[in-house]
Amino acid sequence: MNGFLQRLREVYQRLKWLLWPFAGVLFCLLALRLVVSRSDAYFFINRLHTPAGDFLFPYITELGSASAAVLISLSLLIFRKRMGVTMATAYLFTAAISFSLKAMVGFPRPYRYFASRLHDIYFVPGVTILDNFRSFPSGHSVCVFTAATVLCYYTKNKYWSLLYLILA
């Protein structure tokens, strides 16, 4: 158990410069959530679309898909075995948490939640709208932040780590 706590301290020391800013952002978002309604936040973000984003983001979102997780893990296993094992383990761990939360929270996707206001929602042309799973937490977000966190852990240049998290 002593070795585990020592390893946990080492991980904390490597990632604390990311954890504290993350905690600050999370606190600000939770405070903002107290004063902004879910629908106001959703429709504000939904109106922020651009033609370039409509073209680019359907491809970018695939970086958070299960197939991307498998490809990234397998690629890392081939070139950097330890990092690949860590990535695959992290994906499995966060997927288990994500699916458990989806089952417990059961929050519907926007298509169902805002069923009476579908005419107010902007849908990206050519993108199929999912209606089969629960939306919280986002599987794509969990997947991409899992990858970013593992990459941050292994990256010596912390500026790259910042880039990974911004991209996530």
Side-chain angles (χ1 to χ4, degrees):
M1 189 63 158
N2 246 355
F4 175 74
L5 290 176
Q6 179 62 30
R7 185 72 181 130
L8 199 57
R9 280 189 201 102
E10 290 172 14
V11 169
Y12 172 75
Q13 289 302 319
R14 288 179 83 171
L15 295 177
K16 72 179 177 185
W17 72 277
L18 291 171
L19 291 174
W20 287 108
F22 172 77
V25 169
L26 183 62
F27 177 77
C28 290
L29 289 173
L30 290 174
L32 185 62
R33 177 63 184 101
L34 292 173
V35 295
V36 177
S37 74
R38 179 174 317 228
S39 57
D40 287 344
Y42 178 82
F43 285 106
F44 173 78
I45 292 168
N46 185 254
R47 284 189 284 273
L48 297 177
H49 61 88
T50 64
D54 288 354
F55 173 77
L56 198 59
F57 285 115
Y59 297 107
I60 291 174
T61 196
E62 288 307 313
L63 292 174
S65 68
S67 54
V70 170
L71 282 172
I72 291 168
S73 295
L74 288 175
S75 299
L76 288 172
L77 276 169
I78 292 168
F79 297 106
R80 295 188 62 188
K81 187 174 182 176
R82 184 176 181 160
M83 192 174 174
V85 168
T86 303
M87 185 70 78
T89 304
Y91 277 137
L92 290 172
F93 179 73
T94 57
I97 292 171
S98 174
F99 285 117
S100 298
L101 283 172
K102 281 180 184 280
M104 287 188 304
V105 175
F107 197 78
R109 291 191 177 275
Y111 189 81
R112 285 193 185 203
Y113 186 78
F114 297 112
S116 64
R117 295 184 64 188
L118 288 180
H119 59 281
D120 293 331
I121 297 176
Y122 175 77
F123 294 101
V124 177
V127 173
T128 304
I129 304 301
L130 295 178
D131 192 28
N132 54 346
F133 292 107
R134 294 174 172 103
S135 69
F136 178 82
S138 163
H140 283 81
S141 296
V142 168
C143 214
V144 77
F145 275 98
T146 298
T149 302
V150 172
L151 291 173
C152 288
Y153 178 77
Y154 280 98
T155 299
K156 299 211 185 308
N157 183 338
K158 295 306 172 190
Y159 292 109
W160 279 101
S161 295
L162 191 58
L163 178 66
Y164 296 144
L165 290 174
I166 289 169
L167 289 174

